[in-house]
Amino acid sequence: MGVVVKAVCGACKGQWQCETGCGIMHGEIEGVLPLFPEGIRRQIEAAIGNRAFPAFTFAYQLSCCGHCGSIESVPVLKLTDIGKEYTGVCGKCWQNTELIENIEDTPCPVCHKKALTVEETGIWD
């Protein structure tokens, strides 16, 4: 089950609602592949090859888009048996984003101050 979070900047009051984690449909690779742009999807398919049941982990993770100034959830797929990771793109501008490891250490994409916090607001599946 996934978690809905709200990221808030204490300085500029910017807010972003995001879904993180994964749902029941993400338990099979076929439910995950369509979440990536075609170019990344082809890379994943090539890495999987003809393996019927590739070992993987998947979750939506918070990311910061330096291009459009948004905090977004992006799909992240890790092929655990071969050690490869694939990250989706910003849902607003389709550019690459930077994953947020620690929200408190991440500058706000709008005002650039380190004043971000995150709170859980719900669950999804």
Side-chain angles (χ1 to χ4, degrees), residues 1-6 17-23 59-63 72-74 118 120 122-124:
M1 183 154 297
V3 177
V4 180
V5 298
K6 180 168 64 170
Q17 187 94 0
C18 301
E19 294 180 349
T20 61
C22 62
Y60 282 102
Q61 294 182 16
L62 289 181
S63 69
E72 296 284 317
S73 292
V74 294
V118 66
E120 292 184 15
I123 56 175
W124 68 273

Side-chain angles (χ1 to χ4, degrees), residues 44-63:
I44 296 168
E45 289 170 338
I48 291 170
N50 61 359
R51 289 178 289 153
F53 301 103
F56 72 94
T57 60
F58 172 83
Y60 282 102
Q61 294 182 16
L62 289 181
S63 69

Side-chain angles (χ1 to χ4, degrees), residues 112-125:
H112 309 291
K113 295 186 174 149
K114 288 188 178 180
L116 293 174
T117 60
V118 66
E119 65 182 74
E120 292 184 15
T121 60
I123 56 175
W124 68 273
D125 187 29

Side-chain angles (χ1 to χ4, degrees), residues 37-116:
E38 186 177 339
I40 296 173
R41 189 170 44 243
R42 277 194 234 123
Q43 291 174 26
I44 296 168
E45 289 170 338
I48 291 170
N50 61 359
R51 289 178 289 153
F53 301 103
F56 72 94
T57 60
F58 172 83
Y60 282 102
Q61 294 182 16
L62 289 181
S63 69
C64 187
C65 182
H67 186 261
C68 72
S70 184
I71 293 178
E72 296 284 317
S73 292
V74 294
V76 178
L77 173 71
K78 296 177 185 175
L79 296 176
T80 55
D81 56 344
I82 60 174
K84 292 198 176 214
E85 181 174 299
Y86 302 90
T87 303
V89 296
C90 177
K92 290 189 177 186
C93 69
W94 301 100
Q95 299 296 314
N96 291 327
T97 63
E98 185 175 326
L99 292 178
I100 296 174
E101 300 298 328
N102 185 345
I103 195 80
E104 292 84 14
D105 291 337
T106 303
C108 172
V110 175
C111 72
H112 309 291
K113 295 186 174 149
K114 288 188 178 180
L116 293 174

